[in-house]
Amino acid sequence: MSSQPSSLPSLSTLYWNDRAFGRWAKTIGFSLVVAAGMWWATRPVPGALVTENTAFDAEVGKAVPPIALAVAGVALVLLILRYLVVKRTLTQGIAIQGLVEHIDIYSREQDTDRTPGQKRSYVRTYWATLVYTFGGKERRVKLKLPNSGFTFGLSKGRETDLMVLESSPDKPLILSIYQNRS
């Protein structure tokens, strides 16, 4: 086991390859669009007829932007925390070798409205089961991959580089995913 500092991935790489980072980034964007859209939609229109229903809708609509901004704030905090965890793992973690024990592919038909003659589309989810030894103990984890294992040079029975923090040995990062190399 060696402790070699790794370079940090770009924010774009994190967005596309780290599920948690991408999820929080999308939540921030969506929340900001909702806040701006509701703020714009509840602006008074000069000369418009105001009824009891429209007045109620406008009052309810005024509560949405602060809630959406709060959600965006929480998502921003979680995004920053995830970035710091990845950064800490890649810079202060210990580089080890892990073995890809198995890659599972789950496939399901995409739930879309199809007209006759359209091709069916499928959504595939890839999971890698890794086995590695850390701290004198053999560990086995199952990690969801952002793409097929082939994309990252992962295949059954092949070794791969992992980065592991001593404080969280059951949460390794697969280096090829974060450094765009196989």
Side-chain angles (χ1 to χ4, degrees), residues 8-11 13-25 28 74-91 143-144 146 163 165 168 170-174 177-178:
L8 290 175
S10 67
L11 292 178
T13 299
L14 277 177
Y15 176 81
W16 291 109
N17 292 351
D18 188 273
R19 291 178 50 231
F21 189 89
R23 183 181 314 121
W24 298 127
I28 291 168
V74 169
L76 179 63
V77 168
L78 293 171
L79 178 98
I80 291 169
L81 289 174
R82 179 61 186 172
Y83 175 79
L84 293 174
V85 164
V86 169
K87 177 182 174 185
R88 185 169 168 230
T89 302
L90 292 176
T91 58
L143 300 174
K144 187 173 184 180
M163 290 297 285
L165 275 178
S168 56
D170 293 325
K171 296 181 181 181
L173 296 182
I174 302 170
I177 291 176
Y178 290 90

Side-chain angles (χ1 to χ4, degrees), residues 2-105:
S2 65
S3 180
Q4 63 184 33
S6 298
S7 62
L8 290 175
S10 67
L11 292 178
S12 172
T13 299
L14 277 177
Y15 176 81
W16 291 109
N17 292 351
D18 188 273
R19 291 178 50 231
F21 189 89
R23 183 181 314 121
W24 298 127
K26 290 173 193 171
T27 301
I28 291 168
F30 180 75
S31 297
L32 293 176
V33 167
V34 167
M38 287 303 291
W39 176 82
W40 174 80
T42 58
R43 297 294 95 199
V45 177
L49 178 63
V50 177
T51 65
E52 187 177 318
N53 285 343
T54 57
F56 176 76
D57 291 345
E59 289 303 314
V60 170
K62 288 179 184 177
V64 172
I67 293 170
L69 289 174
V71 169
V74 169
L76 179 63
V77 168
L78 293 171
L79 178 98
I80 291 169
L81 289 174
R82 179 61 186 172
Y83 175 79
L84 293 174
V85 164
V86 169
K87 177 182 174 185
R88 185 169 168 230
T89 302
L90 292 176
T91 58
Q92 299 174 11
I94 298 172
I96 62 171
Q97 289 287 310
L99 179 70
V100 179
E101 185 177 67
H102 193 67
I103 292 185
D104 295 315
I105 303 169

